Amino acid sequence: MSREADIGFLNSNHAAAEGALTAGVNFYAGYPITPASDLFEYLARKMPKQGGVIIQTEDEIAAINAIIGASWAGAKAMTATSGPGFSLMAESIGFAAMVEAPIVIIDDMRTGPSTGVATATGQGDVMQARWLSHGHYGIVALAPFSAQEAYDLTIKAFNIAERLRVPVVLLMDYVLVHTREKVRLKKPPEVEVWSRKKPRVPPEEYLPFKPDEDLVPPMATYGEGYRVFVESLVHDYRGYYVTRDDVYEELVKRLSDKITVNKHIVLDHVEYYTDDAEILFVAFGSTARSVLSIVRHARARGLKYGLFRPISIWPMDTDALLKAAENARKIIVVEMNYGQLFLEVDRVIKDKPVYLAPILTLDLPTPENILEVCRKWL
Amino acid sequence: MPARHYKITIVANRCKECELCINICPKKILAKGDEYNAKGFRFTRVTRPEDCIGCRLCEHICPDFAIFVEPSEKPEEVIAR
Amino acid sequence: MAVAKRPIIHPVDKYLRTERLPHVWCPGCGIGITLHAFMRAVKELEDEGRIDSSKILFVSGIGCTGRAAGYVNFDGAHTPHGRAIPYAMGAKLARPDLIPVVFSGDGDLVGIGGNHFIHAARRNMDVLVILVNNMIYALTGGQVAPTTPKGTYTTTTPFGNPDRPINAVKIAAAAGANYIARWAVTHPELLKNSIKKALPMEGFRLIEVVSICPEIFGRHIGFRAPIELYRRLQKVVKIRGKISPFEATYDWEKEIILGEFQVRNEPGYTRVLMEAFKHG
């Protein structure tokens, strides 16, 4: 492959699709929805040529369940959607978490609630990504802010899903996914591609939900003689339904703790001018690009502004956030909703004021739009 | 040459006393037992194994995998747990 | 936790997680009769060398019948309510050597999961669906089901069920299934033969099994013992040969037609999809 072939001029949907292909996606099920459809269409042309299977299901509920089934059949499986479709997937996000099926879900956020504005941007799915399904479980959400990151983080999303056996959400937004940019399509060995752990014992000794030291159980594949039972009810190491306090407690804690104990492969963020920042902005996704412009202009005028941009939203690198905020007098969270990431930042930072700058515009906010909201704190 | 006799095995701890087998047996050779199993059900007993014709209706109607019939040298009831 | 040794006593025990028996179903429950017929069909097919049971993927949804997947010694899943079909579809398309079986209830398959049922039949998806129809939501305590006879008093229709019951056979036929049959637990041998015929086929195959729920349905309509409901079902079912699925009446008061209503050999979805991708 020539050097030129490694460079694409792609929007973030297409970049994420390329990332998925590099990560080895071989099963995709989806349902059309704005603004995620062109990701599906892109893969629909490419995956069959690479031996993958891609289908359009009758709804998003079928899509999410099909990828969970495919995952247990050994596939690297994904879907992509937007808020309304993501909402429909709610129950089976918890199913994936409960049966520890590695899957990747791309959520191209648009305006909500409900049908909202299908063709307008938003960042209102932050809490949805974390707490979409009922019960307590762990989940990972990553938020790119460029097409390059959409590519890189989709690979990372698959790697985390495979290594930790968790659902991983890639949170993008309308503006981001329809903005074309230069993307370098890095391939192995420049990027690492991970696969799940397989059983190391014969079928008669295999306990499908017995974790290793990293709290992640090795995963058998359907059709290989393991006769593995995938149970959505509370289950013991065998996968059998039991109603015992100790089993329930160990399972539910482990579904969250396996992310915490392996956070070194998950946590990710970028800091801009935080060393001496007195005003620290926190923003993610395409909104962070406008905030970065504000910060750079401020710096040019000698103002000590900084930006903390979380990439892993769930979990967020809170230690890094605290450190970045050390010298700050004020923290301003800029997001295109009425306060979601803010709740997490405000929870973490206890000794100084945290302000919410909600941006409720239908298009990407300009730096001026954001400054207008923030001026009272600057 | 079809077998002349049959061995009827009752898997006692699986029986739930639904009595479908007792009612369906064309030779009426099954009956509710006196003995209780581990779950508190009085499992089916065979009253006249020598009259079994090996039709296996009892076996196939049993929802609990608790009774089965095999050809045998002599008429026999076996209680398995 | 050590892996327990499985006691093998009964002829179908090798296909059961026998350490979990007795199962959760009530005395006289038709789910056990249906599952038993399925095991016998698998056993005969495997003994004849026509199937490799390690390739069976046995998927259930939620409800009494949904518990079946936990008792069988195959690859399997107990999915969220109504989602057994798309789950099985994903697994089959990702790994075409699997033999998917969806074994679930009427509420799960044609109530909450009805859309998946229709579209899997429309695609001629490679799956054998065994629909155990007990005419009631039993696990939750006797609420009206899509299959409940009109007028029936249930816990959520205390003035009688105002809804007409669904006829799953006609829906599968309208959507284009390869194989469609309806049997009843009153005829376990015919049911077993039907499963044995349909399991090795490709495409969408529906076997509806009119079942008995003596505890939650039977008692509610005045039958005190399982055999009473069984005899009542025996009276209403009629076996018909060579009739259209659209004539397969489902009427608890008049007649419930049993039989094999459609046998086609159109290529299954997996094959169609792979063929299309080959030319991509």
Side-chain angles (χ1 to χ4, degrees):
Chain A
M1 191 183 273
S2 70
R3 277 181 62 87
E4 288 71 28
D6 292 342
I7 304 291
F9 187 63
L10 304 171
N11 70 31
S12 287
N13 270 342
H14 299 169
E18 286 290 349
L21 291 167
T22 300
V25 66
N26 50 13
F27 189 87
Y28 182 107
Y31 187 84
I33 189 167
T34 303
S37 296
D38 62 317
L39 192 160
F40 187 177
E41 290 159 355
Y42 189 91
L43 284 176
R45 289 189 298 273
K46 289 212 162 190
M47 278 178 65
K49 295 194 174 97
Q50 303 185 14
V53 171
I54 181 163
I55 52 161
Q56 183 172 323
T57 49
E58 54 274 18
D59 56 29
E60 286 90 345
I61 304 174
I64 185 91
N65 284 285
I67 69 171
I68 297 168
S71 178
W72 268 100
K76 285 194 172 182
M78 72 173 290
T79 186
T81 187
S82 184
F86 199 27
S87 294
L88 277 178
M89 294 178 184
E91 187 183 16
S92 288
I93 297 281
F95 177 42
M98 186 63 139
V99 302
E100 304 181 62
I103 55 166
V104 171
I105 305 127
I106 294 184
D107 175 23
D108 289 353
M109 292 183 286
R110 66 189 221 190
T111 308
S114 191
T115 314
V117 180
T119 53
T121 197
Q123 294 183 313
D125 302 357
V126 175
M127 285 299 169
Q128 186 189 29
R130 179 62 193 89
W131 298 114
L132 182 53
S133 201
H134 60 280
H136 209 113
Y137 59 94
I139 196 164
V140 171
L142 308 175
F145 99 141
S146 65
Q148 183 66 54
E149 279 192 2
Y151 177 81
D152 296 341
L153 293 178
T154 304
I155 299 170
K156 179 171 175 157
F158 272 98
N159 284 347
I160 294 170
E162 291 285 321
R163 182 68 61 91
L164 301 188
R165 293 185 55 188
V166 290
V168 179
V169 178
L170 198 74
L171 274 179
M172 304 209 281
D173 60 68
Y174 195 101
V175 168
L176 185 63
V177 300
H178 287 162
T179 303
R180 281 178 184 267
E181 299 178 273
K182 190 173 114 176
V183 182
R184 205 163 69 78
L185 305 171
K186 295 173 261 184
K187 302 288 178 200
E190 192 184 355
V191 288
E192 282 186 70
V193 170
W194 301 342
S195 293
R196 65 195 66 170
K197 284 186 288 189
K198 305 280 276 182
R200 297 176 299 267
V201 294
E204 57 277 10
E205 288 168 35
Y206 177 61
L207 290 166
F209 294 96
K210 184 169 191 282
D212 289 341
E213 251 176 49
D214 63 357
L215 300 186
V216 183
M219 187 171 177
T221 303
Y222 283 153
E224 295 184 353
Y226 280 84
R227 297 181 187 246
V228 57
F229 177 50
V230 175
E231 175 62 277
S232 63
L233 288 161
V234 167
H235 49 265
D236 61 16
Y237 292 164
R238 298 170 298 179
Y240 291 1
Y241 175 46
V242 287
T243 52
R244 276 196 357 235
D245 284 349
D246 58 334
V247 169
Y248 165 67
E249 182 180 354
E250 186 191 329
L251 174 64
V252 168
K253 282 185 171 169
R254 187 172 65 73
L255 293 181
S256 291
D257 291 348
K258 66 179 175 176
I259 295 173
T260 316
V261 303
N262 295 294
K263 65 183 179 187
H264 56 281
I265 66 164
V266 179
L267 296 182
D268 202 355
H269 75 285
V270 180
E271 295 178 29
Y272 307 84
Y273 313 101
T274 53
D275 287 350
D276 59 346
E278 292 172 3
I279 302 285
L280 180 69
F281 287 94
V282 180
F284 72 100
S286 65
T287 313
R289 297 171 74 140
S290 294
V291 175
L292 184 56
S293 166
I294 291 171
V295 170
R296 283 188 173 137
H297 279 89
R299 284 281 165 176
R301 290 188 292 131
L303 298 169
K304 289 184 172 173
Y305 290 6
L307 169 63
F308 181 91
R309 179 167 70 84
I311 286 174
S312 60
I313 302 285
W314 301 114
M316 190 159 66
D317 192 339
T318 50
D319 290 342
L321 173 64
L322 282 168
K323 197 163 170 297
E326 251 169 21
N327 296 316
R329 286 182 291 111
K330 295 171 177 175
I331 288 88
I332 302 172
V333 183
V334 185
E335 54 183 333
M336 295 194 72
N337 59 52
Y338 207 15
Q340 295 193 16
L341 188 68
F342 167 78
L343 295 174
E344 181 68 354
V345 175
D346 193 45
R347 180 184 73 80
V348 171
I349 295 176
K350 299 189 168 68
D351 58 345
K352 48 195 79 176
V354 181
Y355 300 103
L356 166 68
I359 308 296
L360 296 168
T361 56
L362 295 172
D363 211 338
L364 178 71
T366 62
E368 291 69 35
N369 292 145
I370 295 171
L371 275 171
E372 219 168 278
V373 179
C374 298
R375 196 149 282 139
K376 52 185 177 277
W377 304 306
L378 300 175
Chain B
M1 182 84 176
R4 301 270 295 280
H5 304 294
Y6 296 93
K7 179 173 89 176
I8 303 150
T9 305
I10 311 287
V11 191
N13 282 332
R14 294 183 189 174
C15 178
K16 293 189 186 135
E17 208 183 315
C18 75
E19 300 180 21
L20 285 176
C21 58
I22 297 170
N23 282 285
I24 271 159
C25 175
K27 294 290 173 187
K28 301 290 170 217
I29 64 164
L30 301 172
K32 192 190 287 196
D34 301 324
E35 203 184 328
Y36 289 91
N37 68 14
K39 297 279 177 186
F41 292 111
R42 284 166 295 180
F43 54 90
T44 293
R45 295 299 301 264
V46 186
T47 54
R48 297 185 291 10
E50 65 279 8
D51 287 351
C52 177
I53 55 168
C55 71
R56 298 173 79 184
L57 286 180
C58 58
E59 178 180 331
H60 298 163
I61 203 65
C62 177
D64 293 283
F65 318 101
I67 183 169
F68 61 98
V69 181
E70 296 162 295
S72 168
E73 292 294 309
K74 58 181 188 339
E76 201 179 348
E77 179 198 31
V78 174
I79 309 293
R81 299 285 158 170
Chain C
M1 187 188 299
V3 181
K5 281 270 173 285
R6 253 164 220 159
I8 302 290
I9 308 166
H10 191 279
V12 299
D13 274 3
K14 70 183 254 202
Y15 299 117
L16 289 165
R17 299 181 193 268
T18 49
E19 72 273 29
R20 303 192 78 181
L21 298 178
H23 51 56
V24 72
W25 301 311
C26 305
C29 177
I31 300 167
I33 304 172
T34 309
L35 188 61
H36 193 163
F38 177 77
M39 298 299 170
R40 290 199 290 127
V42 171
K43 184 171 190 299
E44 288 183 17
L45 286 168
E46 191 154 51
D47 289 349
E48 292 163 19
R50 295 169 60 198
I51 204 172
D52 172 3
S53 69
S54 73
K55 299 295 178 190
I56 291 177
L57 174 65
F58 192 100
V59 186
S60 293
I62 296 298
C64 285
T65 312
R67 292 297 181 83
Y71 296 115
V72 298
N73 190 24
F74 305 121
D75 282 327
H78 184 207
T79 71
H81 201 9
R83 315 306 165 203
I85 287 177
Y87 181 94
M89 174 176 72
K92 170 69 177 174
L93 294 176
R95 195 174 166 124
D97 64 339
L98 292 175
I99 305 164
V101 176
V102 166
F103 190 101
S104 210
D106 48 297
D108 191 75
L109 287 168
V110 290
I112 191 169
N115 201 29
H116 307 312
F117 179 89
I118 291 169
H119 288 278
R122 172 178 69 85
R123 294 186 187 104
N124 205 19
M125 180 64 219
D126 302 282
V127 60
L128 169 61
V129 175
I130 298 179
L131 188 165
V132 182
N133 174 4
N134 61 3
M135 304 183 189
I136 198 79
Y137 280 100
L139 194 63
T140 43
Q143 299 81 14
V144 73
T147 46
T148 306
K150 196 168 184 210
T152 306
Y153 298 95
T154 74
T155 59
T156 48
T157 56
F159 308 108
N161 175 22
D163 301 353
R164 292 176 294 182
I166 202 164
N167 188 328
V169 162
K170 291 185 184 179
I171 290 175
N178 246 2
Y179 181 90
I180 305 171
R182 181 191 286 135
W183 300 104
V185 295
T186 48
H187 298 73
E189 191 66 11
L190 296 177
L191 171 60
K192 183 264 294 174
N193 290 341
S194 177
I195 296 169
K196 199 177 163 188
K197 178 172 177 179
L199 189 55
M201 288 172 65
E202 62 181 291
F204 189 89
R205 290 143 283 154
L206 169 69
I207 299 176
E208 180 182 358
V209 184
V210 185
S211 185
I212 52 170
C213 170
E215 285 295 327
I216 309 294
F217 185 70
R219 279 179 191 275
H220 231 92
I221 60 171
F223 298 113
R224 291 174 54 205
I227 192 66
E228 293 176 30
L229 183 62
Y230 177 92
R231 298 280 187 226
R232 169 66 177 80
L233 178 61
Q234 251 181 343
K235 255 182 226 150
V236 77
V237 294
K238 288 180 185 61
I239 299 171
R240 291 276 167 80
K242 304 226 178 291
I243 69 160
S244 151
F246 296 103
E247 295 170 76
T249 310
Y250 173 78
D251 187 334
W252 177 246
E253 297 304 327
K254 296 196 179 81
E255 60 175 7
I256 294 176
I257 304 290
L258 308 183
E260 206 173 56
F261 311 116
Q262 187 146 291
V263 186
R264 296 195 311 207
N265 200 19
E266 293 189 8
Y269 189 60
T270 314
R271 200 141 62 91
V272 171
L273 200 64
M274 299 309 157
E275 205 53 42
F277 286 170
K278 215 184 287 173
H279 303 299

